[in-house]
Amino acid sequence: MKIDISQYKHIVILTGAGVSAASGLHTYRGQNGLWEKYEIEEQGHVDRLTDHPEKIWQLFGPLRNELETAQPNAAHYALAELEKSLGTSQAFTLITQNIDGLHQQAGSKNVIELHGTIHQTKCANPDCDLKTYPDNNAHLNKAPSCPECSHPLRPDIVLFGEIVPDNKDLLVRLSLRQCDLFLAIGTSGSVYPAAHLVRFADYAGARTIYINLDPMLPPNAAFAEEYLGKAEEILPDMFGITL
Ligand code: OAD
């Protein structure tokens, strides 16, 4: 299936962990998913910051080590090239649930990191003055404490039980208002609010496309088209991009 991107003016892409699978990173659900190893919604819950902050680092810390060597793959590069190829009258928004930063590393510019970034650390105490700072230490041996207030430090990501910050939510809604092409790529569609976005796109009248290794279960009627296979193979071909 080929898509002529010049036909679209408001393009919104939603990506999930499947886009980074070919970079050697684990997905959360499905084959080789982190879920098989951990009760992720329990271990990744914001409440662990109060009772067992080390569990948050055990769950997400290893990604920092993996990202020392992991590189963007053809799916990331195809999306970056797609954005570069657009004219000035075309809007492009890449909403990612991924916290790995690989879209930006591949050259994508207009990226909304819905779930934050693993590359930064902040204090768990919202009243603390400590500024969020770049940190790639996995903190696997000991959960770190804030030098200012001694509360636990945490990765700058959205944990289970937390909501996406309002400013990001607003940008997402704005991008979808006039959306005419919406693609969800490599996401199981089981985490909200990301799983809802296709409904807004559909409501705006967009062409809605689901790209994944496996069919969406249960199917979501807001998707008009489904293409099954590897994102890193489908995307360059779909948009005629030579990498
Ligand atoms: P999931 O692990 O739930 O889903 C990954 C999807 O990618 C699955 O549906 C796979 O079938 C698909 N997949 C795997 N390899 C693929 C490939 N090469 N090409 C295309 N598809 C492939 O990941 P997400 O939907 O991203 O939150 O999960 C959403 C959120 O759950 C994550 O952002 C994470 C977790 O809680 C945080 O880290 C804060």
Side-chain angles (χ1 to χ4, degrees), residues 110-122:
N110 194 21
V111 182
I112 301 175
E113 291 180 306
L114 209 57
H115 293 163
T117 172
I118 192 65
H119 296 290
Q120 299 198 130
T121 293
K122 65 181 182 181

Side-chain angles (χ1 to χ4, degrees), residues 55-130:
K55 292 199 168 183
I56 296 292
W57 290 104
Q58 282 162 11
L59 186 60
F60 293 104
L63 181 58
R64 289 188 169 177
N65 291 338
E66 289 162 25
L67 285 168
E68 283 180 11
T69 50
Q71 293 298 318
N73 65 64
H76 299 106
Y77 285 118
L79 292 172
E81 288 305 313
L82 185 67
E83 184 178 6
K84 276 187 210 142
S85 75
L86 299 178
T88 48
S89 63
Q90 291 174 291
F92 180 94
T93 308
L94 175 46
I95 303 165
T96 187
Q97 298 165 88
N98 299 343
I99 56 178
D100 55 34
L102 292 179
H103 283 302
Q104 293 94 324
Q105 207 176 314
S108 284
K109 297 282 182 247
N110 194 21
V111 182
I112 301 175
E113 291 180 306
L114 209 57
H115 293 163
T117 172
I118 192 65
H119 296 290
Q120 299 198 130
T121 293
K122 65 181 182 181
C123 181
N125 171 11
D127 298 324
C128 177
D129 287 337
L130 185 82

Side-chain angles (χ1 to χ4, degrees), residues 16-18 28-29 97 115 158 160 186-188 191 212-214 231-232:
Y28 294 91
R29 300 165 190 82
Q97 298 165 88
H115 293 163
V158 175
F160 285 98
T187 173
S188 60
V191 173
N212 200 296
L213 271 185
D214 303 314
E232 62 275 20

Side-chain angles (χ1 to χ4, degrees), residues 12-240:
V12 179
I13 313 274
L14 170 69
T15 64
V19 162
S20 294
S23 298
L25 303 182
H26 287 275
T27 56
Y28 294 91
R29 300 165 190 82
Q31 256 190 346
N32 290 327
L34 268 180
W35 191 282
E36 286 176 4
K37 234 167 122 190
Y38 299 103
E39 291 287 332
I40 192 171
E41 289 188 16
E42 175 70 18
Q43 181 156 356
H45 198 277
V46 62
D47 289 352
R48 295 296 78 72
L49 290 172
T50 318
D51 54 26
H52 285 290
E54 74 284 358
K55 292 199 168 183
I56 296 292
W57 290 104
Q58 282 162 11
L59 186 60
F60 293 104
L63 181 58
R64 289 188 169 177
N65 291 338
E66 289 162 25
L67 285 168
E68 283 180 11
T69 50
Q71 293 298 318
N73 65 64
H76 299 106
Y77 285 118
L79 292 172
E81 288 305 313
L82 185 67
E83 184 178 6
K84 276 187 210 142
S85 75
L86 299 178
T88 48
S89 63
Q90 291 174 291
F92 180 94
T93 308
L94 175 46
I95 303 165
T96 187
Q97 298 165 88
N98 299 343
I99 56 178
D100 55 34
L102 292 179
H103 283 302
Q104 293 94 324
Q105 207 176 314
S108 284
K109 297 282 182 247
N110 194 21
V111 182
I112 301 175
E113 291 180 306
L114 209 57
H115 293 163
T117 172
I118 192 65
H119 296 290
Q120 299 198 130
T121 293
K122 65 181 182 181
C123 181
N125 171 11
D127 298 324
C128 177
D129 287 337
L130 185 82
K131 284 211 168 62
T132 303
Y133 63 95
D135 182 18
N136 286 322
N137 185 327
H139 300 294
L140 292 180
N141 296 330
K142 189 174 181 297
S145 303
C146 177
E148 303 278 331
C149 74
S150 74
H151 278 73
L153 291 173
R154 55 170 291 181
D156 186 18
I157 62 175
V158 175
L159 298 169
F160 285 98
E162 293 186 304
I163 54 167
V164 168
D166 283 350
N167 57 344
K168 287 190 184 168
D169 195 46
L170 182 67
L171 288 174
V172 166
R173 301 292 176 108
L174 286 175
S175 74
L176 287 165
R177 271 208 322 208
Q178 292 174 285
C179 177
D180 53 6
L181 179 65
F182 179 86
L183 278 84
I185 309 164
T187 173
S188 60
S190 40
V191 173
Y192 291 86
H196 267 321
L197 301 187
V198 66
R199 298 230 315 262
F200 295 106
D202 184 40
Y203 185 73
R207 178 177 178 185
T208 51
I209 298 176
Y210 182 75
I211 298 173
N212 200 296
L213 271 185
D214 303 314
M216 184 175 240
L217 285 176
N220 184 335
F223 283 106
E225 299 166 56
E226 180 178 75
Y227 299 103
L228 300 182
K230 295 179 173 174
E232 62 275 20
E233 291 171 3
I234 291 179
L235 289 174
D237 183 54
M238 181 173 264
F239 295 106

